[in-house]
């Protein structure tokens, strides 16, 4: 894996930043950072995978080990990321219609879907 630079906050994480799984394998780039900046809560990132035939994936904050200037490192294999349209991971959400993670993820997915 390349030098990823210094650790950063989700607030400094740029779209296009490379994403690596727990084994340092590249899994895509950051397409959207999901957060409630007003409450300073980071929810996770939507990842655009390499290649035109693959669908976007969602890495919940609990699946992210570290954020760096030039890379996001997951704490799980890339295959464990979720489809942004799927239900949230078990134990993450009690009421999906009112949970900020699910609401923000749904909004981001709708924006991405409209761009296709």
């Amino acid at each position: 894996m390349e030098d990823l630079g210094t650790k950063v906050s989700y607030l400094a994480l740029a779209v296009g930043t490379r994403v690596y799984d727990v084994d340092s394998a590249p899994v895509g780039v950051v397409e959207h950072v999901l957060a409630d900046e007003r409450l300073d809560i980071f929810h996770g990132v939507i990842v655009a995978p390499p290649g035109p035939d693959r669908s976007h994936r969602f890495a919940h904050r609990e699946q992210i080990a570290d954020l760096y200037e030039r890379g996001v490192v997951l704490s799980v294999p890339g295959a464990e990321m979720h489809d942004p349209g799927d239900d949230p991971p078990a134990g993450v959400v009690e009421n999906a219609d009112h949970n900020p993670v699910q609401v923000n993820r749904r909004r981001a997915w709708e924006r991405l879907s409209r761009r296709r």
Side-chain angles (χ1 to χ4, degrees), residues 9-27:
S9 160
Y10 72 89
L11 297 168
L13 190 60
V15 169
T17 301
R18 291 182 181 157
V19 180
Y20 301 90
D21 74 4
V22 69
D23 298 317
S24 301
V27 295

Side-chain angles (χ1 to χ4, degrees), residues 98-111:
H98 301 290
N99 184 281
V101 175
Q102 184 65 5
V103 171
N104 286 337
R105 189 171 67 168
R106 190 177 303 132
R107 284 182 190 147
W109 183 241
E110 288 169 0
R111 280 194 302 261

Side-chain angles (χ1 to χ4, degrees), residues 3 5 10 20 23-25 28 32-34 38 43 46 50-52 58 62-63 68 84 109 114:
D3 175 21
Y10 72 89
Y20 301 90
D23 298 317
S24 301
H32 188 79
V33 177
L34 295 176
R38 185 176 52 81
H43 299 302
I46 292 184
F58 173 68
E62 293 173 355
Q63 296 176 307
Y68 296 92
W109 183 241
R114 282 191 295 248

